Amino acid sequence: QVQLQESGPGLVKPSETLSLTCTVSGGSITASFWTWIRQPAGKTPEWLGRVYSSGTIEHNPSLKSRVTMSVDMSKNQFSLNLKSVTAADTAVYYCAKDLFARSGAYWGQGILVTVSS
Amino acid sequence: DIQMTQSPSSLSASLGDRVTITCQASQDISNYLNWYQQKPGKAPKLLIYGASNLETGVPSRFRGSGSGTDFTFTISSLQPEDIATYYCQQYHNLPHTFGQGTKLEIK
């Protein structure tokens, strides 16, 4: 059974870069998409983007060029970097396997990231 | 982006009631639709994929139907543990998008 766990700082200063890592256990990170989603308090989830195990990235255009993602197959991890953050980026960030059909069954527990000085 | 319009935004029902939530896509998404249940402080849990397929381990009182632009999610007999917020989500196009959610409460 695939399990995912987010890690990273819970507090980021405005204008800095938010960096999160997702560790995948119970299965290999190869040959699959891996996704980041965020959810501000009381709001609907927002798909941020996904990275294929080869490193190909598809991101939400709403984030413009602020988001990058990567995969570390040696550690069975994938990562999110969101630069130039503002208070509007405060949210619970989730990693997931993918949101395509049954792959939507695999989510991490989420990590609250607050953007504040 | 494909807009997903869910209704109602909140719903109050009695235990044992039949509950129905609708989701409308801004364009044809065939059956590329998931339904999730989210409880406070938890990640969304997949209930239905492909518009009408029940995820493994999900009780049979949950049902999804529809195709194209109009979809329905039904709980046949509301149980106390069903109190949560429910979201539809399309995966026909990128970016994958969610409905605004339906908060279900006990009357």
Side-chain angles (χ1 to χ4, degrees), chain A residues 39 44-45 47 94 99 102 108, chain B residues 38 49 55-56 89 96 99:
Chain A
Q39 186 174 28
T44 196
W47 183 88
Y94 294 100
L99 298 191
R102 297 191 76 181
Chain B
Q38 187 177 31
Y49 64 94
E55 172 63 5
T56 303
Q89 172 248 316
H96 295 160

Side-chain angles (χ1 to χ4, degrees), chain A residues 20-44:
Chain A
L20 296 175
T21 296
C22 183
T23 301
V24 179
S25 58
S28 174
I29 202 168
T30 57
S32 185
F33 279 106
W34 302 94
T35 299
W36 290 96
I37 303 112
R38 70 181 179 183
Q39 186 174 28
K43 296 189 178 181
T44 196

Side-chain angles (χ1 to χ4, degrees), chain B residues 6 8 19 21 35-39 45 47 62 73 75 78-79 81-88 99-104:
Chain B
Q6 233 180 290
V19 169
I21 299 168
W35 286 98
Y36 296 89
Q37 175 193 68
Q38 187 177 31
K39 296 184 178 180
K45 174 187 176 183
L47 301 179
F62 296 101
F73 173 82
I75 306 173
L78 186 65
Q79 301 300 304
E81 59 268 30
D82 300 336
I83 299 312
T85 299
Y86 292 84
Y87 294 97
C88 60
Q100 69 268 41
T102 297
K103 187 174 183 179
L104 184 53

